[in-house]
Amino acid sequence: MTQVKRVYGFGKAADGANNTEGNKDMKYVLGGKGANLAEMANMGLPVPPGYTITCQSCVEYYDATPAAYPAGLQEEIDQYTAELEGKMGKKLGDANDPLLVAVRSGSAFSMPGMMDTVLNLGLNDDSVQGLIKQTQNEAFAWDSYRRFIQMFSKVVMDIEGDLFENALTLKRRARGVQADNELTADDLRELVGEFKSIFASNVDGSAYPGLLVDGKPAFPQDVGQQLRLAIEAVFKSWNNRRAIDYRRMEKIPDDLGTAVNVQAMVFGNKGDTSATGVGFTRNPADGTNEYYGDYLINAQGEDVVAGIRLTDPIADLKKNPEFAAAGAQLDEIFDILENAYSDMCDIEFTIEQGTLWMLQTRVGKRTAKAALKIAVDMVAEGAIDKKEALRRINPAQLDQLLHPQFDPNKSYDVVAKGLNASPGAAVGKAVFTADEAEAAAEMGEKVILVRWETTPDDLHGMIAAQGILTSHGGKTSHAAVVARGMGKPCVCGMDALSIDAKAKCATVKGTDIVVRDGDIISIDGTSGSLVLGSADLIEPEVSGDFGTVLAWADELRTLGIRANADTPEDATLAREFGAAGIGLARTEHMFLGERKAIIQDFILSDDDRTRAEALEKLAQAQVEDFLGIFEAMDGLPVTVRLLDPPLHEFLDSPRELEVEITRLEAAGASNDELVPKRKLLAQIDSLSEMNPMLGTRGCRLGILFPQLYGIQVRAITQAACELKQRGFNPRPEIMIPLVSVDVELEILRKETEDIITKVFAETGIEVDILIGTMIELPRACVTADEIAKHADFFSYGTNDLTQTAFGFSRDDVESKFMPQYLERKVVPVNPFETIDDGVIKLVDAACVGGRESNPKLKLGVCGEHGGDPDSILKFYELGLDYVSCSPYRVPVARLAAARATIGV
Amino acid sequence: MTQVKRVYGFGKAADGANNTEGNKDMKYVLGGKGANLAEMANMGLPVPPGYTITCQSCVEYYDATPAAYPAGLQEEIDQYTAELEGKMGKKLGDANDPLLVAVRSGSAFSMPGMMDTVLNLGLNDDSVQGLIKQTQNEAFAWDSYRRFIQMFSKVVMDIEGDLFENALTLKRRARGVQADNELTADDLRELVGEFKSIFASNVDGSAYPGLLVDGKPAFPQDVGQQLRLAIEAVFKSWNNRRAIDYRRMEKIPDDLGTAVNVQAMVFGNKGDTSATGVGFTRNPADGTNEYYGDYLINAQGEDVVAGIRLTDPIADLKKNPEFAAAGAQLDEIFDILENAYSDMCDIEFTIEQGTLWMLQTRVGKRTAKAALKIAVDMVAEGAIDKKEALRRINPAQLDQLLHPQFDPNKSYDVVAKGLNASPGAAVGKAVFTADEAEAAAEMGEKVILVRWETTPDDLHGMIAAQGILTSHGGKTSHAAVVARGMGKPCVCGMDALSIDAKAKCATVKGTDIVVRDGDIISIDGTSGSLVLGSADLIEPEVSGDFGTVLAWADELRTLGIRANADTPEDATLAREFGAAGIGLARTEHMFLGERKAIIQDFILSDDDRTRAEALEKLAQAQVEDFLGIFEAMDGLPVTVRLLDPPLHEFLDSPRELEVEITRLEAAGASNDELVPKRKLLAQIDSLSEMNPMLGTRGCRLGILFPQLYGIQVRAITQAACELKQRGFNPRPEIMIPLVSVDVELEILRKETEDIITKVFAETGIEVDILIGTMIELPRACVTADEIAKHADFFSYGTNDLTQTAFGFSRDDVESKFMPQYLERKVVPVNPFETIDDGVIKLVDAACVGGRESNPKLKLGVCGEHGGDPDSILKFYELGLDYVSCSPYRVPVARLAAARATIGV
C-alpha cells in the first residue's frame, strides 16, 4: 500500500540546494499559494522555506466524524517541521534561537481574506527570550509575541478582537503615545501579560481541555500545540460563513478544501532597513505595462493591507538607498515572474534588514478594462496567442463595461459603500416604500428604492424603481437576487446607512449626511457606491481593446450570436454590439401604449365588426413595426414571435375594477355608469386564469383566435415584401410559441403558409420566410421528433422551460423562496440565471429528436440564458447554431461563445 | 404488378356452390359486416349473395383530390355486379325480373346508425313493372319503389326526409287511413310520382349534372348511376359529423375507412309469410342464456329498429305455424353462431315467404351486467377460458356499475333523454344559473345545474352542483369535458328540452312538462335520462359475477392497485373494493373545516407562541386522522403525502376582502374595524402568487417551514407507534411532494428521519416507515437517478406532471380550450383523462433513472390516470409496481391491470 503524501516541502536546504517538492501546476494539491511558493523556489527566487499540507488533508479532516486529522498526518507534519528546523538551523520554541513560522491558508482558487492566517507562531515565554537574544531588539520581540497572542486568540480561538485592541489603546493612552511603535519594550511586555489574561478569561476550558493549566485555561506554551491548533483553525476556516458565501458567489466547489502553508517567518518590521509590500507586474486597474504596488517601511504584511498607515508607491523603493539593491532585485523578479507565468502577477514581499524575500505570487486579479488591455498588449508582445488572451478574459466581468456607468472622467463623492449586488448605475429620487416608488414611477419620475432589506411585498416598488439600495442583506439577499433577475442596478448591505423608513430618511452613520425622501441620489451597482445628487452616467461602448478582443472572439467562435429586440432602436443597438440577427422579437411589446385600447376592443367586443376594425388597426400598426425592425436588420435574420401572453394581460385588473364598482355603488352611482363597468368586469373575469403561465396563451391563442395570428403573419409578410421592393434584403423568421403538441404547429404552419402565399400573390413579390417554433415546454422537448417535421427552426425558450421543468413560476419563486434555496444550496445557482443541468437534459433530448427527423433544423436559444457565459458553454456543447440575448449582453455572449470553443 | 383486389364476393353461386372470398378475420379489409357475411356464407348459412368493396377503397377515395374512385374500382364493381346477376339469375333494372340490392356501410368497428344504407336499389319506372310481374303484388312493388326513392333522396342526395314523410301523411289523410300498409297500389304509385317531384325540385342540378334530363334534375332511371351514387354516399358517410364524433368518443381511428356491402335484397314485407327481425344469442341486457330478440311480420328491417310498430318476442316465432320451420332453423343458427364465435352474437334476419335469410351477425354489444354474466357463464360452460373472459370485459364499461345509479328495482318516468356524457346519477333542485347553483350549494342544498350549454363562466356553478344537464352540445362539449374531469354526472345535448334561463324554467318539447327553478329533478349520466322528482339512488357494490371476474383478474394481474383516500371512511370503502393499500392520502384535505381557522392562525400570526399553539393543535388533530386511516388499512401500506398546496389556499380571497373593506370604508366604519382587516389583506396579498401551481407549495413549504412538515411526520409516527402497541400492523409511507431537485429530498428526508428517530425514542416502539417522493415535475423525471438515492419509493403524480409537461393549467385548460383542442384533434384524447405519450416518455425516463441508481425503488402512480384503463396498460408496460386511484375506480383498475398482462 502506497502511503498518501500529505505534506510537501519547499525552499532551500541548509546547503543552498533547492529542496522543493511541488510546482505551480499543483494548485489542486497545494492550493494556489503553496503551488506558487514551490514554483518560485524552483525558479531560484528567495522564498523563506516551509512546507504545505495538502488540500486533500483538509477534505479528509472534514470526512471524519467528528472532524479530525487523518491517521499519519501529525507524524508527517512533525517530520517536515523537523526538516524545516534543519534548513533554518533554528528550533520552534527554542529559548536561544527560535524558529518562528507563519501558518497560512491557500486553496486552489483565490479567496482573498476569506480564510485564516497566523503569524509569528512559535513564540512563548521562553522563545521570546531567544528572539531577544538573536535580534537584540527587545521591543520587536515583545511586539511579535503580543501580535502572535492577539492573532492566535482571534483566529484560532475566536476571541473578540476588540478586547485586545482596547487593551492596546488603553496602553497607548496610559503612555501618552499615538502609535503602537512608540510603545517601549516594557509596555509591550506588560501587554503580553494582559493579552494572556484576556486569553485565559475568554477561552472555554471545557472545549479546550488541552489548554488547561491547574484547571484554568492558559495561553499555550507548547509550540507543537500552537502549531496543531493553528493548522486546525485553517482547516476550519474553509467552512466559515464568509468563505462559504464567497464560494457560492464565485461558484467555487465546496469540496476542494484548503491547503495549509507553514513557512519560516521573515520580518518587515525589524527597523528601517526592513519593509513589506504588495505589487503587480502591471497596473491591475487599467492594465498599463508598469511595475505597480505599495510598500511600508518597518511593518508587517497586514499593515499594508489594513490601510492604516500611508503606503509609498513601489516605484519609489529604489530611490531609497537602504532598499536600492532589494528594489532592483524586485524589478528583475517582476520580469522573471511575468515571463514564467505569461501573465500579470500579483506578489507579496518582505525586506528583512535589506534582504528581499518573496512571500507569495499568483496571477493577479484585474478590472475588466485592465484585463482587456493586458490581453491585447501581451498578444502584441508575443507573450501569448489570441486563444490564450480569450481564455483569460472572464466574460461575466465584461458586464461591468456594458451597463450605464458613472462617467469615469468626472469625480464623485462616494458617501458610503455597500455590496455590488447587481451591476450598472442609476439616478433617481430616494423613496422609502415600495408604494411610493410605484406612485412616483406612475407619475413618470425616476426613483431609487431605499430599504432596510426588501421582501416579496416590495416587488412592485422594485419593478417601478431605477435601482435598489439596501442597508442589510448580502449578495444572495432578496434585493440582490431579484434585482439581478430584473437586470436593475442594486447596492445592498450598505451597513453605513441607517434607515428610518417611518421618518423617510437615511443617515450615513458617523456623519451628518442625511438622504431625505425625494432627494436625488445616484448608485453604482458595479462598485457598490452611493453618491448624493445626480451623477453623470455614460452609456457603454465597444471599441479599443474591447473591440480588438471581440474581433478575435469572432474569428474563433462557431456559435452565432443574435439579440432579443422588439424595436428598431434596440435592433440598431444590437447590430452595433455585433448581433448577427434578432433571435426574438416579442410582438406583445408592440401592443402596449396607445395600442392597448385597440386590442382591448378586440378582446372585449362581441360584435364582429368592432373586432374586425380593431384587427385592421393592429394590422396596419404591425406593418410599421416590422418595416422598422427589418430595415434596421437589413440582410440579417429576424425571428418574430407571434403573440404569446394570455389575453387578459392586456386588460385591467378585475380586482381593482371590482373595488371601483363597489366604491361607485356606495356613492350611489347611476346604473348608466355601473352597468357597463359590471359587464366589463364579467368579461375580464371570464378571461382570468388561475395560472396564466400555463393557461390560454402562446399558440393556444393562435388556435382559438386564428385572426390574431393572421394579422401578424400578414403584417410580417407585407413589410418584408415592401422592403424587398425597396431594395432591402429582409429575412423574417416566424416563430410560433408554446407548442406542446406537433398538431398545434402543423395547423398553425398551414394557416401561416396560406397567408404568406396570399400576400405573395397580392404583392407579386416573394421573400424567403422560415417558420419555426419555440421549444419551451417539457412535452415539446420529449416529442421534438414529431414537432420538427413541421419546423424550419427550434428556438429554445429556456425561461419558460425552466419554469415548467422545475414547476417554478419565476414571478413567485424568485421573490419568495429562491434566496433561501440558494442559501441552503438546494440549487447550486439560480436556474433562471445559469441554465440548470436537468433543463439541459430536456434541451438535449429536443436537439437529438429534432435533428433526427429534420436534419436541416436550425437550433437556437432565445431565453435569457443566451447571455450567460456558463450557459453558453453548455449550449455550445449541445451543438446549437446560435444564442440570442439582450443587446447589452451581445459582446459578453460573443466572447463566451469563443471561449466555449476552447472549453472554458 | 399485382392488381389490388378491391371487391370480394360472398354467397352461393347459381349452382349452389359456396362462392365466398372472405372470412371473419378480414374485418379490417371487409368491415365487420362484410367479414361476418362471408363467414356465415362459409358456414353454409343462408346468406343472400352479394359483394363487399374494401375499406381500403374508401381510404383511396378520400386520398384523391377531389375525392374519387381509385382507377379500376368501377370496372371491378361492374364485374362483381354482373357475377351477382349471374348468381341470382336476375338483372339490375330488368323490366321482367329485376335484381334489387341493398347497399350498406360496414367498417372494422361497429358504428351503429352512424353511416348510411340504401335498400331496394335497382328500381326504376321499368323494373318496378318487372317486380310486379314477379311478385304479382302491385302494392308491394310500388311501396318498394317509393321507399327506395325516399331513402335514396335522404341518404344519397341529402334531401330533407320530412318532405317525404309529409307527402305520405297527406296521402294517408286524403285516403282516410291510419297506417301506410292500408294505402292501395294506386295510392303508392301516385306517391312515387310525388316523391320524384320532390326529388326533382330539391336536387341542385349544377352539383349533379349527371341527373339532368332536359336541363332539369330527375330521379335517376339508370340503375348503374343509382349504384354508383349510393356507393359514393356510403364512402362519404364515413366522414359525416356524427360518424366523426362517434369515432372520437369510441377512440376509433379516422383512417380506417368503411367497406360497402352490395347484397341481393330479400323481403320481409311480402305478406304474412314474411317477417324480419333482430336477435341475440343471449340476453344482452342481463346476460341470461336464452334466445333473445324481436320480429315483425310483413316488414322491412328499419321498421323493427324504428320502433313504430310493436314487435313480438323471438321466442314466439316458432309458435306461429307459418314460421315454425324458419324459427327452428333460426334456433339452430343461434347455436351454430355462438359456437363459431364463442361469444354472444347479435344477428339480423329476414324471412321471405317462409324462407330464412341471414343478413348480419357480429359479436353483440351488451350492458356491463350482461358482459359479466356472459363471461362467467361461458367460462362455466367451458366455451372460453378466464383470460378470454377478461379480454372481453371493457373496464371502462364497468364504470356504469360503480357510480350511484337509479334503483333498478323501481320504475321511473323518463321525461326526456340526452347524451350520457358523464356517468352516475344525481338528484337535486333545478337551478338555471351558475351563481344560483353556488349560492344554493353554500346553503347546503343539492342542485342540478340546467343550462343551454355551459361556458367557462359557469365553472363555479358546475363545481357547486351535484350534476349538470344541458340541452345543447355533444360529448366533447364544455359541459361534458369538464363534468367528466370533475367526475360529476352529466347529461348533455338533451334536444327535447327547451330552456328559458331568464324565466328560469325548462319545457320538455311537445309536452306540458315544465321544470321550474327549485323543482327537484334526477338525472342519470350513465343512460342520459331526466326524471322528475327525487329518484332513489343505490350505491354500487362488487359481488356476484362482478366479484367472480375481479377474483380472476386478481389471479392474473401483477400490477398492484391502491386507492387515493383521505379519511377512514374512504379507506374502508377502498378496502372493500379490493385496494391493496392507500397510494395517496392528501393531508391538506384534513386541514379544512374547523381546522382551517387553526392553520390560518399559523400562517398569519407573526407571534411565535400563537404559531406554536396552532401547530400543537394541528399536531393533535393529525394524530387522530392517522390513527383512523392506519387502523382501517391495518396491514396494508398507506402513503401519506405531506402538505402540498400553497398556504394561501387556506386563506380568504384577497379580492373579496378588499371589496368588503371598500364597502366598510364607504359606510364610514371605524378604524378599529378597518385596521385589522387591512392588515389581514396585506398579509394575504403577500402570500398570493401569480401562478400558485408553480409557486410556494409542496416540498418548498417543507423547506421554508420545517415546523409544518415536522408536526405531520411526528403525527404519522406517533399514530403508527400507538397502533403497533395496540396490536395493529400499521405500514406508513411518508411522501414528500413536488420535488424538483435531489437536495430538497435529501434535506427533508434527513429532517423526517430525525423526527421519526425521536418519536421512536420517546415511545420505545419502532415501526417500519418508508420515505419517498412524488415525481410530478419534468425536472424530477430527467434527474430521477439523483433523486432516487434519497427515496424508498417514487409515486408519479401524473396530474401535475401533465400540467407541467404540457404547460397546461388544468383549472384553466379544461374549461377554456380543451373542448376545442379535442374538436380540432390537436390532442387525440384529453391528457388529463388518459395519460399522454409524451408524458409517458418522462415517466419512463424517471423509471429508468430511478431504478438505475436505486434498484430497490418501489414505483407507483397516484394521479387520476391510475384509474384509467388505457393509462393502466401503459403503466403496466413501464413495469410499475402499482397504481392508485379513487376508491370507486379500484375494481376497474383491477380488471384493467389483469387485461394489461394479456396486452389489452
Side-chain angles (χ1 to χ4, degrees), chain A residues 496-669:
Chain A
L497 216 57
S498 170
I499 296 175
D500 184 342
K502 219 168 174 182
K504 295 189 182 174
C505 68
T507 312
V508 178
K509 289 177 193 164
T511 71
D512 53 5
I513 297 171
V514 181
V515 175
R516 293 205 169 71
D517 190 42
D519 287 356
I520 299 280
I521 58 173
S522 305
I523 61 169
D524 180 359
T526 313
S527 64
S529 314
L530 167 64
V531 164
L532 300 185
S534 173
D536 293 317
L537 303 188
I538 55 161
E539 287 294 319
E541 210 181 348
V542 173
S543 59
D545 295 328
F546 201 168
T548 305
V549 167
L550 286 177
W552 296 343
D554 292 344
E555 285 168 20
L556 192 62
R557 71 183 161 91
T558 54
L559 190 66
I561 308 295
R562 298 192 189 180
N564 301 345
D566 311 332
T567 62
E569 296 70 34
D570 276 359
T572 305
L573 183 68
R575 196 163 192 158
E576 279 166 13
F577 278 149
I582 303 280
L584 176 62
R586 284 158 291 217
T587 53
E588 59 269 24
H589 291 184
M590 303 169 186
F591 284 2
L592 300 178
E594 58 197 13
R595 299 192 200 159
K596 198 167 161 182
I598 310 178
I599 189 142
Q600 286 181 348
D601 279 349
F602 171 77
I603 300 170
L604 296 175
S605 172
D606 37 21
D607 149 23
D608 284 346
R609 196 167 145 184
T610 311
R611 294 181 86 146
E613 281 171 7
L615 281 175
E616 185 47 37
K617 280 186 213 158
L618 287 175
Q620 284 168 13
Q622 287 261 278
V623 173
E624 294 304 315
D625 296 331
F626 297 129
L627 281 173
I629 292 176
F630 294 162
E631 188 175 335
M633 297 307 281
D634 183 34
L636 298 177
V638 176
T639 308
V640 180
R641 180 174 72 186
L642 302 185
L643 202 63
D644 184 51
L647 286 183
H648 65 78
E649 278 200 7
F650 296 104
L651 303 177
D652 296 334
S653 144
R655 175 167 158 186
E656 282 172 21
L657 188 54
E658 186 170 356
V659 168
E660 186 194 337
I661 290 171
T662 308
R663 206 169 276 136
L664 286 169
E665 284 170 345

Side-chain angles (χ1 to χ4, degrees), chain A residues 806-820:
Chain A
F806 275 93
F808 281 176
S809 161
R810 190 170 185 181
D811 291 322
D812 303 313
V813 162
E814 287 216 319
S815 69
K816 287 214 164 67
F817 65 82
M818 190 55 75
Q820 288 93 320

Side-chain angles (χ1 to χ4, degrees), chain B residues 651-712:
Chain B
L651 303 177
D652 297 332
S653 145
R655 176 167 157 187
E656 283 172 21
L657 188 55
E658 186 170 357
V659 168
E660 185 193 338
I661 291 171
T662 307
R663 205 169 277 137
L664 288 169
E665 283 170 345
S670 70
N671 266 345
D672 284 357
E673 193 174 358
L674 284 168
V675 167
K677 284 192 191 285
R678 286 189 190 131
K679 187 180 162 203
L680 179 65
L681 178 61
Q683 283 176 303
I684 294 175
D685 272 338
S686 77
L687 284 166
S688 297
E689 294 184 305
M690 297 280 290
N691 299 288
M693 238 306 292
L694 308 179
T696 312
R697 51 172 288 234
C699 69
R700 300 160 197 175
L701 294 174
I703 301 272
L704 295 184
F705 305 102
Q707 324 91 299
L708 263 186
Y709 276 17
I711 57 142
Q712 294 199 297

Side-chain angles (χ1 to χ4, degrees), chain A residues 655 658 744 779 821 836, chain B residues 655 658 744 779 821 836:
Chain A
R655 175 167 158 186
E658 186 170 356
E744 291 172 323
R779 191 190 184 281
Y821 261 47
D836 165 73
Chain B
R655 176 167 157 187
E658 186 170 357
E744 291 171 323
R779 191 190 184 282
Y821 261 47
D836 165 74

